[in-house]
Amino acid sequence: MIVPTPSRLASVAPRWRRHNYFAAFFVALMFSAPAQAQNLSLRAPPWAQTMLASDVIPTTGGRAALAGEGIAVAARITIAPIDGGVARVIRYETNEDGALLALRRFTGHPTTGWWMWGPDTPRVSVPTPAVRTEIEALVRAAMSVVSGLNAAQSGDPCHGEQAFIELALEGRSTSATRACVTAGDPAGRLATRLSELAGSRDNEELAAAATAELLGADRAFAAMAQAEGVPESFAAYAASEAIMLRSEGAPTAGHDAVVARFADWPEAARLQWSPQTARVSSRGDMGWTWGDSVYIAADGTRTPGRYISVWSRDVDGNWRFAFDAGVD
């Protein structure tokens, strides 16, 4: 990703554009919920309320209901470590079109509050048929024992996780608080399993997931440069205020300037790069990558180099490069 000459070419963060299926499915799952389902969150303990308030429909800003027309099975688990760390809101839902698992991540401590990690939009995945069957069996088991009261606790203080659990099944809905999640409780088993499937359960797992996400973004950007061309890829991935630093002369500043910089890119020239390492900030909104690059001129001459790129998320949660510099 370095251009040997006037400077090196930046790595743009890949956008995580969800398929049209995800967008339509997500909105369908969240709309038109009965009052009973919407009111479940009113029973949430104080530590969970801030996180639940963020569970909104990305396209409209309305509160996401637990259940609505056509939704057969739904579970929303708000789970947080009692001693602080990574908290999550995990939503599982099915309708006639299929199933989805959505994850929002937070960091903080019960005494100081929770701050959203990463984008406002949830990370969405589609469970396999086997996982879907497993989750729905756990929902049915939890539904049979869940009450609105805290689960009974042993005498020892809990150093694990607490959870607020909302369930909807075949027209019925209920919620419960668990002051300490345990495997011996059907509701606790559901919370634990959904947390495992969604990922990012602790700081180590969150950091690993963030690194993989940002490396994936850089690799996707590199792949686009090969498939669609260097000018097209940089136009797609540059942040609105992106800066590209060159070894000589003034920096290239702003998206329009980045586009103009590549307007005369030689048609036969290529730029290839591969990220080696990534790091992401504790809030999940900025990060950096570095890697190896090679500029292949129109006559086949190869010039190797290295690069470093700083990334930020745009308003939709997509990674975009904010700064890029080459290392000769």
Side-chain angles (χ1 to χ4, degrees):
M1 164 144 88
I2 295 180
V3 186
T5 52
S7 99
R8 121 20 219 297
L9 296 188
S11 60
V12 174
R15 52 315 229 163
W16 295 111
R17 287 181 182 160
R18 291 177 173 59
H19 297 298
N20 291 337
Y21 164 78
F22 279 152
F25 188 26
F26 193 80
V27 172
L29 287 174
M30 303 304 185
F31 251 128
S32 303
Q36 179 188 20
Q38 287 189 341
N39 288 338
L40 288 178
S41 61
L42 299 179
R43 306 173 188 171
W47 64 264
Q49 290 175 4
T50 300
M51 287 183 278
L52 281 171
S54 73
D55 194 18
V56 297
I57 305 170
T59 53
T60 67
R63 178 175 294 282
L66 180 64
E69 291 183 12
I71 294 179
V73 181
R76 180 164 60 184
I77 311 296
T78 307
I79 189 165
I82 292 173
D83 296 327
V86 180
R88 289 87 70 208
V89 175
I90 307 162
R91 175 190 290 273
Y92 171 82
E93 294 182 0
T94 65
N95 70 7
E96 60 272 14
D97 295 323
L100 68 75
L101 190 65
L103 168 70
R104 282 184 172 86
R105 294 166 286 191
F106 303 79
T107 58
H109 191 278
T111 61
T112 57
W114 303 96
W115 293 269
M116 185 175 290
W117 187 96
D120 292 340
T121 53
R123 184 175 125 192
V124 179
S125 60
V126 176
T128 66
V131 168
R132 177 175 171 175
T133 298
E134 177 190 2
I135 293 175
E136 293 178 11
L138 289 170
V139 170
R140 291 179 184 278
M143 195 83 175
S144 66
V145 300
V146 158
S147 70
L149 302 176
N150 289 345
Q153 302 294 313
S154 64
D156 296 332
C158 181
H159 293 287
E161 293 185 310
Q162 55 191 335
F164 178 64
I165 300 164
E166 301 165 89
L167 303 174
L169 175 66
E170 298 168 352
R172 297 178 295 122
S173 60
T174 188
S175 66
T177 299
R178 293 297 188 255
C180 192
V181 173
T182 64
D185 169 31
R189 287 197 295 273
L190 171 64
T192 299
R193 183 58 176 144
L194 283 180
S195 190
E196 290 174 349
L197 292 169
S200 305
R201 290 166 293 177
D202 54 34
N203 287 316
E204 183 177 352
E205 195 169 279
L206 183 65
T211 298
E213 180 182 317
L214 190 50
L215 285 171
D218 202 344
R219 290 172 184 138
F221 174 52
M224 184 178 181
Q226 300 309 303
E228 301 182 32
V230 170
E232 291 78 7
S233 62
F234 276 85
Y237 284 104
S240 60
E241 299 180 354
I243 294 175
M244 296 181 66
L245 192 64
R246 36 176 101 211
S247 57
E248 297 179 356
T252 300
H255 184 275
D256 291 346
V258 171
V259 172
R261 176 175 174 176
F262 292 100
D264 297 326
W265 181 264
E267 184 174 350
R270 289 180 293 154
L271 182 65
Q272 299 174 347
W273 68 89
S274 177
Q276 301 300 313
T277 302
R279 295 289 187 274
V280 177
S281 69
S282 60
R283 292 292 292 271
D285 56 356
M286 293 191 70
W288 58 262
T289 59
W290 76 265
D292 299 317
S293 68
V294 58
Y295 172 73
I296 305 172
D299 62 2
T301 303
R302 301 171 68 92
T303 305
R306 284 182 171 170
Y307 68 92
I308 182 168
S309 295
V310 178
W311 308 64
S312 62
R313 293 186 190 271
D314 65 16
V315 294
D316 297 319
N318 305 313
W319 285 111
R320 295 288 183 263
F321 81 83
F323 174 83
D324 184 79
V327 181
D328 295 334

